[in-house]
Amino acid sequence: MIGVPETTLSLTRRDGAGRPVVFLHGLGSRARLDWPEAEWAEELGGRPALLVDLPAHGDSPAAGTLSTSDVVDLIARSIAAVASQQEIDLVGYSLGARLAWALAGHPAVAVRRVALGGLSAMEPFTMVDLPAARVALAGGAVPADPVTGMILSMLTLPGNRPEALLELIEGLASEPFDPAIGAPAQPVLLLGGVDDPMAQGIDGLAAAVRDSRIVRVPGDHLGALHAPEFRAAVTRFLAED
């Protein structure tokens, strides 16, 4: 197994008072795009926020082909470095939700509540044709497989590092997401867009969690993340004792 790098990830801190809220973004994005201050500052009601750029995203370094467990270790260490001994709330979307599912039980962080949006009940990364994707990145043929093509379109958005992101996917696929393993013990809010096929399995995910609730919001996979109803549901959930 590849060891976890001694580096830490890039975190953006938004000042405030009270329990910090940690945000994890989706694949091919970055923290400030998925969680813009203009949308979230008022919703947090003055609470501090920690926005994590995942490995090979935004200002964070690439981490090669780390397994899911190793990526979660890296995220936990990065959070603990700036929020040591503090209880946190955790909000993740898409890939960020997949990682937050495992991070909730990590011994290095004390998580109180978990809000997960756009989480797929299946593991898409195991369906990515890595050789075909690498051929396409080198200027070759576009992959015929629709899943690989969709993932590739996300990796090649402006400002991304496609090769490093593909390595990240390869590592995550080596330890696929399995909702039957390590379900969060905390209260969990599962959010899905009504037009998001990736989030259609959240009812099954809820069944794996002891204390869960489901909220459907308008939008597809991208639109749901920025819907006012999404932010309102997360805010209500995190305001509970």
Side-chain angles (χ1 to χ4, degrees):
M1 186 171 84
I2 298 173
V4 181
E6 288 303 316
T7 186
T8 55
L9 300 174
S10 173
L11 275 71
T12 299
R13 302 192 220 189
R14 294 177 184 163
D15 293 335
R19 183 184 297 106
V21 182
V22 175
F23 291 88
L24 304 181
H25 63 79
L27 178 69
S29 187
R30 61 188 303 165
R32 63 177 174 81
L33 294 180
D34 277 9
W35 316 109
E37 188 169 12
E39 292 182 358
W40 284 95
E42 185 175 343
E43 300 289 350
L44 292 180
R47 291 177 60 181
L50 293 174
L51 284 70
V52 181
D53 276 341
L54 298 177
H57 291 79
D59 294 324
S60 283
T65 56
L66 292 183
S67 69
T68 300
S69 293
D70 284 342
V71 171
V72 170
D73 283 344
L74 181 54
I75 296 170
R77 189 176 67 217
S78 300
I79 294 169
V82 297
S84 178
Q85 307 302 315
Q86 286 185 279
E87 186 181 56
I88 64 171
D89 286 332
L90 189 56
V91 182
Y93 197 80
S94 196
L95 172 57
R98 177 193 192 276
L99 296 169
W101 180 279
L103 181 63
H106 197 284
V109 291
V111 178
R112 185 188 69 114
R113 284 179 169 265
V114 187
L116 306 175
L119 179 58
S120 173
M122 54 173 282
E123 174 56 82
F125 296 152
T126 56
M127 297 187 288
V128 174
D129 186 337
L130 293 169
R134 290 191 167 102
V135 167
L137 289 180
V142 175
D145 167 48
V147 173
T148 303
M150 177 192 69
I151 295 292
L152 202 56
S153 69
M154 298 168 70
L155 304 192
T156 53
L157 290 171
N160 281 343
R161 291 166 275 169
E163 293 82 3
L165 289 171
L166 201 58
E167 284 194 333
L168 176 66
I169 286 173
E170 181 178 358
L172 294 172
S174 71
E175 189 181 348
F177 175 63
D178 183 351
I181 298 175
Q186 300 89 340
V188 173
L189 172 65
L190 291 158
L191 304 108
V194 294
D195 298 316
D196 179 10
M198 289 188 64
Q200 295 310 302
I202 59 176
D203 295 274
L205 293 174
V209 179
R210 182 183 61 196
D211 183 356
S212 65
R213 67 195 70 175
I214 293 172
V215 173
R216 303 279 184 184
V217 301
D220 57 12
H221 193 65
L222 179 60
L225 171 61
H226 297 286
E229 293 87 349
F230 180 96
R231 297 191 296 276
V234 171
T235 301
R236 288 193 301 269
F237 176 71
L238 296 187
E240 297 177 17
D241 292 333

